């Protein structure tokens, strides 16, 4: 009896059992010892049937249940269409605005890079000019030869 039950249960869990075999499983479980989880499962299904609750084994593919029909008034349908169009336009506007913001940020980054390049060029040329002005520092004394040679004192001595 236990071998038969074990074989039927394996067949059931593989999804290969027939309805008669399932009834035999229930009968063997009610008479046998052990298999507490299986007993709770199979006997619980029987109790659910008694209560009138639909169980997945009650539903057959041939049975078709009528679908509830929900009719929407034409007035409501037109409002729903307008709401859908509004949402599409709103989403399109948001996406366009984000695209414009990214484009503006890219242009600003490019302008910043160009300005920094220009400043770099100006700095380079300024340093080159300052280096060339070092030679002129020696010439600043040309306007004051009387200080170098004390010409004023010589004139006073005469």
């Amino acid at each position: 009896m236990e071998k038969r039950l074990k074989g039927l249960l394996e067949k059931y869990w593989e999804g290969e059992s027939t309805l008669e075999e399932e009834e035999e499983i229930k009968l063997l479980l009610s008479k046998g010892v052990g298999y507490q989880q299986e007993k709770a499962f199979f006997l619980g299904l029987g109790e659910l049937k008694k209560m009138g609750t639909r169980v997945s084994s009650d539903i057959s593919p041939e049975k078709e249940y009528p679908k509830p029909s929900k009719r929407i008034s034409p007035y409501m349908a037109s409002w729903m269409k307008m709401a859908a169009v509004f949402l599409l336009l709103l989403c399109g506007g948001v996406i366009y605005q984000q695209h414009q913001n990214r484009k503006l940020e890219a242009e600003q980054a490019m302008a910043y890079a160009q300005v920094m390049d220009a400043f770099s060029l100006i700095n380079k040329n300024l340093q080159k000019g300052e280096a060339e002005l070092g030679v002129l520092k020696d010439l600043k004394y040309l306007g004051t030869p009387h200080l170098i040679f004390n010409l004023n004192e010589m004139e006073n001595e005469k």
Side-chain angles (χ1 to χ4, degrees):
M1 179 167 118
E2 190 165 326
K3 267 186 166 180
R4 176 75 177 149
L5 181 60
K6 195 179 265 189
L8 286 173
L9 282 173
E10 284 180 24
K11 201 172 181 183
Y12 179 79
W13 295 124
E14 293 293 322
E16 299 170 354
S17 64
T18 63
L19 291 175
E20 292 80 23
E21 290 172 334
E22 291 177 23
E23 291 298 323
E24 188 178 350
I25 291 172
K26 290 178 190 175
L27 180 66
L28 291 173
L29 283 174
S30 64
K31 292 179 184 177
V33 179
Y35 298 103
Q36 297 303 323
Q37 290 180 344
E38 287 82 1
K39 279 183 184 181
F41 177 73
F42 282 103
L43 299 177
L45 286 177
E47 288 181 25
L48 284 175
K49 279 184 185 179
K50 287 178 189 175
M51 290 173 35
T53 308
R54 238 189 305 179
V55 182
S56 62
S57 62
D58 285 347
I59 300 172
S60 63
E62 298 88 32
K63 251 187 187 178
E64 287 191 32
Y65 296 99
K67 294 182 180 177
S69 63
K70 290 184 180 179
R71 289 200 146 289
I72 299 174
S73 69
Y75 179 74
M76 188 65 165
S78 65
W79 276 107
M80 290 174 70
K81 288 177 185 176
M82 284 191 278
V85 168
F86 174 75
L87 283 174
L88 284 173
L89 290 174
L90 182 69
C91 290
V94 167
I95 290 171
Y96 178 75
Q97 185 67 33
Q98 287 177 347
H99 174 70
Q100 290 296 343
N101 286 343
R102 280 192 222 112
K103 189 176 175 183
L104 180 64
E105 288 173 0
E107 288 173 356
Q108 288 174 346
M110 188 185 314
Y112 178 77
Q114 288 175 350
V115 167
M116 294 311 291
D117 287 343
F119 281 152
S120 171
L121 184 63
I122 290 171
N123 188 23
K124 180 181 168 186
N125 288 332
L126 185 63
Q127 287 175 355
K128 192 188 301 180
E130 284 178 355
E132 290 178 6
L133 283 178
V135 175
L136 290 178
K137 284 184 182 179
D138 296 336
L139 297 178
K140 74 179 181 180
Y141 297 111
L142 287 179
T144 57
H146 60 279
L147 292 176
I148 296 174
F149 299 111
N150 294 327
L151 293 177
N152 290 339
E153 291 175 15
M154 291 175 154
E155 286 180 6
N156 288 339
E157 290 177 10
K158 288 184 189 181

